[in-house]
Amino acid sequence: MATVANESTRMNTLVVRKPCFGLPTGCPQCLSAYIFLKFSQVPFNLDYHPNYPDSDQIPYFESGDCVAYNNEKEGIIESLKREVGDLDSGISSLPDWTATKVLLTTWLADALEYELWVGCNGSSVDKIYYSDLPWPIGRLLYWKKALWVMQKHGISKDNAEKKEEEIYGRANSAYDALSTLLGEQNYLFENRPSSLDAIFLAHALVILQALPESSILRVNFLEHTILVKYVQQCNTKIIETSALPSNYPDFHAEPSSSSSDSKGRSTSGSTKPKTKPKRQPQTKEEKTFRRRAKYFVVAQLVAVILFLSIRSGSGDDALELDDVGYDFDE
């Protein structure tokens, strides 16, 4: 018989994208939520969701019967404040608070987004978001997102270089400001962890561990020794192997498609090895279903390709991935 969960027994679960690059999750938004909960010292299970890589609902936090999604008003961090407690109580009214939050959520968020989807040609995002998908679908979703990022920043073939300089320049200015604000403190404000620390640490850890050494944003960040030291000190406190789901024995392990539940999500309970069942001959209905599924996938691919073709031929100012350094043969 099901039992009713109360305040002392309800289960807290943070659902994120899979671990990679030595991190409990490679997604910046997911990682900031994870760090916020670690700072809050709230017990929680870490779970992962390998499906729907373009969903803006992930990460989400389950607490008893309540679920807080990332795409809710003000985002996952504000939802966590209401669910588990406000880390920012008493410091969010400080003079530099609002300006620092703007730097983190605009200039630095935009710079990391640009670097992941445009600057590094998708070398990192493929592992973070799409490695569990068939290659054609993953690449099409990647190109779709890359086009969206370029449209967001108003990037065209005529201004790509100028826009890139602006994005990197703003990020470097933000790093300078944060270095001055941090100084010799352990955290950004009042020497105590806050939601802004969680956001910035997620940003920095993805830069240091997910971006290639040739990344301009990574090179610029490494020049700010105060920030690098700050990240290294905090990293040892918040990133723990024990926090991973049980089917992830280390950060570099890849998820297994056989370890998901009916929701398409991994379970964090213990598992037992199972004997591989003998393969049964397919029925006529199964063969028909598989054939129709293949037709559906092909139809989706053709539709996306036609969409991209129409977009690229819609005018002189249309965005073209080749014009900003993309290689479709990757």
Side-chain angles (χ1 to χ4, degrees), residues 154-318:
I155 300 173
S156 68
K157 60 183 179 181
D158 297 323
N159 66 7
E161 185 174 345
K162 180 181 178 181
K163 287 289 186 179
E164 182 177 272
E165 291 178 358
E166 291 176 356
I167 291 170
Y168 290 142
R170 289 195 294 263
N172 217 37
S173 298
Y175 292 149
D176 291 340
L178 289 172
S179 296
T180 301
L181 177 65
L182 185 62
E184 298 298 321
Q185 297 184 108
N186 293 325
Y187 299 100
L188 293 174
F189 290 94
E190 298 292 311
N191 220 24
R192 52 177 267 201
S194 68
S195 65
L196 299 190
D197 289 281
I199 295 171
F200 177 65
L201 285 170
H203 169 93
L205 286 169
V206 171
I207 285 177
L208 292 175
Q209 298 189 222
L211 295 182
E213 293 183 359
S214 59
S215 162
I216 297 175
L217 192 62
R218 188 176 189 273
V219 171
N220 290 344
F221 182 84
L222 288 172
E223 294 175 352
H224 296 78
T225 55
I226 291 177
L227 299 181
V228 173
K229 181 181 177 182
Y230 159 72
V231 174
Q232 290 173 340
Q233 289 176 342
C234 292
N235 187 31
T236 59
K237 302 175 184 178
I238 58 179
I239 306 297
E240 300 175 4
T241 304
S242 60
L244 287 174
S246 59
N247 54 338
Y248 276 92
D250 60 66
F251 288 133
H252 301 283
E254 295 296 334
S256 170
S257 60
S258 63
S259 59
S260 59
D261 59 16
S262 59
K263 296 181 181 180
R265 205 180 79 200
S266 77
T267 57
S268 47
S270 60
T271 59
K272 297 180 180 180
K274 296 181 180 180
T275 304
K276 187 175 181 180
K278 185 180 295 185
R279 188 172 182 178
Q280 299 294 329
Q282 289 184 340
T283 64
K284 183 177 180 180
E285 289 78 8
E286 289 174 335
K287 291 179 179 179
T288 302
F289 176 80
R290 289 175 63 86
R291 185 168 60 253
R292 289 178 178 175
K294 291 179 181 179
Y295 292 155
F296 174 78
V297 171
V298 171
Q300 293 296 312
L301 293 177
V302 171
V304 174
I305 292 172
L306 288 174
F307 169 77
L308 294 176
S309 299
I310 293 171
R311 291 289 302 176
S312 63
S314 59
D316 294 336
D317 295 330

